[in-house]
Amino acid sequence: MGAGAGTAGAGGAAGAVGAAVAALYMATLPPALPGGDAGNVAHPPGYPLFTLLAKLAMGLVPLGSPAYRVNLLCGLLGAAAASLLFYTVFRLSGSYAGGILAAGVFSFSRLTWQWSIAAEVFSLNNLFVGLLMALTAHFEEASTAKERSKISKLGAFCCGLSLCNQHTIVLYIVCIVPWVLSQLARKMELSLGHLLKLGLCFLAGLLPYLYLPASSYLNRARWTWGDQTTFQGFLTHFLRAEYGTFNLAKSETGSSMREMLLFQLAQMKSELSLPVLALALVACVSTALPMKQQKSPVIWLFTGMLCLYSLFFAWRANLDITKPLFLGVVERFWLQSGAVVAVLAGLGLATLTSVGGTVLEGNRALPWLEWLSTLLLVASQVWANYSACDQSNNYVVDKFARNLLSSVPTGAVILLRGDLPGNALRYVHYCEGMRPDVTLVDQEMMTYEWYLPKLAKHLPGVYFPGSRWNPVEGLLPDGTVAFNLHRFLKVNKQKEVFVCIGLHEGDSTWRRSYSLWPWGTCEKLVPSDVLFDPGEWIRLTRNLYNWTEDYDSFQPSSWEAVANEEMWQARMKTAFFIFDLAETAGVAAEMKSQLYTSAYTLYKEIVNSHPNHPVNWHKNYAIACERMLRLHRVDVDPEALLSQTVKHFLLYAEKAEDDPQRQDILQAVKHLKKELQGLRKMKEDQRRRAG
């Protein structure tokens, strides 16, 4: 491995690397709101540093939507992270090619690229990972006690500051801090005074957390999370107690630790490539070689950070990653380990070049091979991931939110549930000022003791008959006045109330006086004494949305795929609701016939209008055809109905291979085919007799 000297051009080269990464990131930035938490306020543990930077970006950048400005900020933070990865490798090895390899393969992996151009906290976390590794490398290379003292204080400050963003970085801090302290102690440079100064620098880095109680006290935000005006409230928020401290999610059963680690390894291979993993392994193995300017302590430190983080995260990430959406949530946290692997790979490349230069002394081809391998690996990342990460025309989540908001009548109240509708609707409503007449109320947040005391004043026109939503209304043991959904609807009966998406399962009191009628992706709470008119409801809900995205056109783990699926299924919800009403026992025969006919007609129109559509549409339409057949209506051809039933049942069985009812459906199709053959034979006989 080359010497760590010769760093005069490191700053300029690191800047050039960052500029190159920034150029590609800027070209692929989403112009509007991406999915996930991008439209959300900072949930626990608060992310005060990111919140302040985002506020600054929205105020200073004079172009694009608020979402675009924060996307731009994150892209620049991601590019800065690339510069720091380059600097780390170059500082330790003196290899430009190794530094570019580390920065390039990490920055242009699908996962890093995807989350570096979205308004999320991950690019800032990547920057801090790179910064802590760069400072560690600089500390290792420092030649004087004064320089080491200065770097250690800066490092302590950055450790504190990094915890003002994503807390997972603490697993790197608990490795770096003891290592630095042991190095200082070994060189007899660790005094009680210096230790105190390091502690003060660390606390100074945590100062952005003062923003949380200050903001909570002023209570100007129309949407926030938690009450940090008390120490207990601050601690609850800081420790993510409402999610579960050290857990990724609340009340979820996740994959096993072994399964999580295997998924992570497969993801590293997919994202960074097998040669990069091999080079990282070379860096680890190189610590056993007797080489000049050996960087074994730092390599072992980085390797230890990687192992500790991977093991701890696999233990605590309580989500089922066999589900694509949950995998998409979990894999973002593997970015932190991917940055270390990329740095080790850069050091591994420098090691191979150094060893090769020693063995093949005077061979001029080695530097060319080093550069060629770097360029090939980085270029292959760009080539493989550019089109997938190009979000410059991605308005999917933004259009999803705008369609939902524009569909409700004036003065409506929307009870939100879930990340996608909640975050997206709140963003376009609060940040872009869309539909100020509408009131957004979060169902889950109403169950928290802080929500209504903090935010009810920002929800004008809506009356809350208590300070907390609870299925059992009345006075709770802690003195809180609770109300259920039935009571909430009763005192707000002058309002049209919608739910997006679905109602909290824990409170069914609304069923006493209300029904849920489909309203596109959402549903409307309608008083039970209102009679349902299928024709009128079809007219009201037929053209709620202007949705033009092709079905199944996004990666299953993306929020765009979730939004697209919701909008496609919304086309079928009214037909499904009407059909379900017809299936209800006690419906008069005449009304049942009318409902079946309305559902069939709507199903037929929808299925025939969209050749590529969700798989379940085939099954629903087939069942609707079968029910129409049993009505024996004279205005509908029974042969056509039977043919459509058989056709769409078979299409469903072909595409839904994991449906447990698949064999029953195929068995039913056999009987329907016999019935169809008998019907055709009867028609043929009738034609012969008529002739």
Side-chain angles (χ1 to χ4, degrees):
M1 192 177 292
T7 58
V17 168
V21 172
L24 281 173
Y25 280 0
M26 296 308 102
T28 55
L29 277 180
L33 179 72
D37 289 331
N40 198 7
V41 294
H43 56 66
Y47 303 97
L49 182 60
F50 182 83
T51 301
L52 292 168
L53 289 173
K55 178 68 175 175
L56 194 64
M58 287 191 288
L60 294 181
V61 178
L63 49 97
S65 65
Y68 175 80
R69 297 169 197 175
V70 183
N71 294 339
L72 176 63
L73 166 71
C74 292
L76 294 175
L77 293 174
S83 295
L84 290 166
L85 296 186
F86 168 87
Y87 181 86
T88 301
V89 174
F90 183 83
R91 185 86 195 193
L92 292 171
S93 68
S95 170
Y96 284 98
I100 291 172
L101 176 75
V105 295
F106 177 73
S107 302
F108 299 129
S109 70
R110 175 197 60 83
L111 198 58
T112 307
W113 200 334
Q114 174 186 340
W115 292 108
S116 292
I117 59 174
E120 287 271 14
V121 299
F122 298 100
S123 61
L124 182 56
N125 190 62
N126 292 341
L127 183 146
F128 277 120
V129 170
L131 181 59
L132 293 184
M133 287 196 292
L135 287 171
T136 302
H138 196 175
F139 180 87
E140 170 70 7
E141 292 295 304
S143 56
T144 65
K146 183 179 179 181
E147 190 178 5
R148 281 188 290 272
S149 175
K150 181 180 177 181
I151 296 167
S152 62
K153 291 172 189 173
L154 178 59
F157 174 78
C158 291
C159 284
L161 196 63
S162 68
L163 288 173
C164 295
N165 187 50
Q166 191 163 296
H167 282 187
T168 54
I169 204 166
V170 73
L171 295 169
Y172 284 1
I173 292 173
V174 298
C175 294
I176 293 172
V177 169
W179 183 84
V180 169
L181 293 178
S182 67
Q183 294 291 97
L184 290 172
R186 189 170 60 84
K187 296 178 185 295
M188 307 297 289
E189 296 169 6
L190 184 62
S191 64
L192 184 60
H194 186 55
L195 195 60
L196 182 61
K197 290 176 183 177
L198 292 177
L200 290 173
C201 289
F202 177 79
L203 292 175
L206 293 171
L207 283 175
Y209 261 108
L210 293 177
Y211 167 78
L212 296 183
S215 175
S216 187
Y217 174 78
L218 294 172
N219 196 21
R220 293 173 183 169
R222 290 173 293 172
W223 169 243
T224 186
W225 191 309
D227 180 4
Q228 296 88 44
T229 54
T230 66
F231 179 73
Q232 184 58 48
F234 177 84
L235 206 60
T236 296
H237 201 66
F238 182 80
L239 296 177
R240 301 178 74 252
E242 290 165 340
Y243 276 93
T245 304
F246 299 127
N247 285 340
L248 192 56
K250 181 175 68 175
S251 304
E252 290 285 348
T253 302
S255 301
S256 68
M257 187 174 177
R258 178 178 177 275
E259 188 177 17
M260 195 72 69
L261 289 169
L262 289 175
F263 260 89
Q264 182 185 0
L265 186 60
Q267 189 266 357
M268 282 185 181
K269 179 184 173 185
S270 170
E271 292 291 325
L272 301 176
S273 78
L274 193 58
V276 169
L277 297 187
L279 287 170
L281 188 61
V282 166
C284 296
V285 172
S286 71
T287 58
L289 300 177
M291 299 171 61
K292 291 182 180 180
Q293 301 294 330
Q294 180 60 274
K295 307 301 176 188
S296 297
V298 179
I299 291 175
W300 281 120
L301 172 63
F302 289 170
T303 305
M305 289 159 51
L306 171 65
C307 293
L308 175 65
Y309 179 80
S310 300
L311 290 169
F312 188 89
F313 185 77
W315 174 42
R316 303 307 302 173
N318 57 325
L319 286 175
D320 181 3
I321 55 176
T322 60
K323 298 176 180 178
L325 184 61
F326 285 168
L327 175 60
V329 171
V330 168
E331 67 177 0
R332 304 175 301 175
F333 293 88
W334 291 332
L335 288 169
Q336 189 166 318
S337 52
V340 178
V341 172
V343 165
L344 291 174
L347 295 174
L349 179 65
T351 296
L352 283 181
T353 305
S354 178
V355 170
T358 303
V359 175
L360 304 172
E361 192 173 349
N363 192 320
R364 296 181 179 179
L366 277 176
W368 289 99
L369 285 174
E370 182 186 27
W371 277 103
L372 181 62
S373 60
T374 294
L375 294 175
L376 284 175
L377 286 169
V378 174
S380 67
Q381 288 283 73
V382 177
W383 176 265
N385 298 316
Y386 186 91
S387 60
C389 295
D390 183 7
Q391 303 296 303
S392 56
N393 291 307
N394 183 0
Y395 292 90
V396 174
V397 174
D398 184 80
K399 288 193 295 184
F400 171 84
R402 292 179 186 279
N403 270 285
L404 263 60
L405 261 186
S406 63
S407 71
V408 298
T410 302
V413 175
I414 303 179
L415 299 179
L416 297 170
R417 184 184 182 213
D419 286 347
L420 178 64
N423 297 341
L425 266 68
R426 278 191 290 264
Y427 165 76
V428 295
H429 179 65
Y430 292 132
C431 298
E432 300 205 10
M434 183 179 180
R435 294 298 303 271
D437 59 292
V438 170
T439 304
L440 305 180
V441 181
D442 194 286
Q443 294 182 50
E444 184 180 0
M445 294 300 104
M446 271 203 294
T447 65
Y448 290 116
E449 59 185 16
W450 52 262
Y451 178 74
L452 290 176
K454 297 294 290 184
L455 296 179
K457 74 172 190 177
H458 299 299
L459 303 170
V462 179
Y463 180 67
F464 298 95
S467 54
R468 188 174 177 183
W469 178 19
N470 192 292
V472 181
E473 63 177 341
L475 194 65
L476 298 180
D478 63 357
T480 302
V481 178
F483 61 91
N484 56 31
L485 190 53
H486 176 263
R487 178 70 58 187
F488 173 82
L489 294 171
K490 187 176 180 180
V491 299
N492 290 284
K493 60 184 178 181
Q494 78 283 3
K495 293 279 188 178
E496 293 187 86
V497 181
F498 297 80
V499 296
C500 296
I501 300 172
L503 273 171
H504 198 289
E505 293 88 350
D507 187 353
S508 60
T509 57
W510 59 273
R511 297 181 186 275
R512 298 175 194 169
S513 307
Y514 284 83
S515 301
L516 276 179
W517 292 3
W519 191 269
T521 292
C522 306
E523 291 162 302
K524 183 178 182 181
L525 281 157
V526 182
S528 299
D529 56 1
V530 176
L531 293 177
F532 181 74
D533 181 343
E536 176 65 11
W537 206 252
I538 289 171
R539 184 189 67 78
L540 285 172
T541 60
R542 172 174 273 139
N543 297 311
L544 277 178
Y545 304 142
N546 177 27
W547 194 254
T548 57
E549 301 294 334
D550 292 335
Y551 183 69
D552 203 21
S553 53
F554 301 98
Q555 286 207 2
S557 60
S558 70
W559 285 104
E560 285 77 11
V562 178
N564 197 32
E565 181 71 23
E566 289 289 349
M567 296 303 276
W568 271 87
Q569 294 294 356
R571 292 183 165 114
M572 187 66 83
K573 280 181 71 172
T574 296
F576 184 86
F577 177 76
I578 294 171
F579 181 86
D580 205 40
L581 278 181
E583 295 279 280
T584 305
V587 177
E590 185 178 347
M591 176 55 73
K592 189 180 287 281
S593 175
Q594 181 188 349
L595 291 171
Y596 276 136
T597 303
S598 296
Y600 161 75
T601 304
L602 192 52
Y603 271 134
K604 182 179 180 181
E605 175 190 324
I606 296 168
V607 169
N608 290 338
S609 299
H610 305 283
N612 182 31
H613 53 68
V615 174
N616 65 304
W617 288 18
H618 289 297
K619 182 181 179 181
N620 293 348
Y621 180 45
I623 295 173
C625 290
E626 193 274 338
R627 294 295 192 275
M628 280 296 291
L629 181 70
R630 306 310 170 201
L631 291 177
H632 303 293
R633 291 179 62 106
V634 295
D635 56 339
V636 184
D637 181 9
E639 183 182 351
L641 287 173
L642 264 174
S643 297
Q644 289 294 299
T645 304
V646 170
K647 173 186 174 182
H648 286 276
F649 266 144
L650 286 174
L651 284 170
Y652 176 76
E654 178 186 330
K655 297 176 181 179
E657 295 182 355
D658 57 345
D659 190 329
Q661 295 181 322
R662 185 171 180 271
Q663 290 304 317
D664 295 333
I665 292 171
L666 291 174
Q667 192 64 35
V669 167
K670 289 182 180 179
H671 294 291
L672 291 168
K673 281 183 174 180
K674 289 179 182 178
E675 190 176 346
L676 180 59
Q677 289 171 356
L679 182 62
R680 286 172 175 169
K681 187 175 184 301
M682 184 180 70
K683 279 189 173 184
E684 184 63 29
D685 291 343
Q686 287 175 348
R687 277 196 294 270
R688 285 176 182 170
R689 284 197 295 270

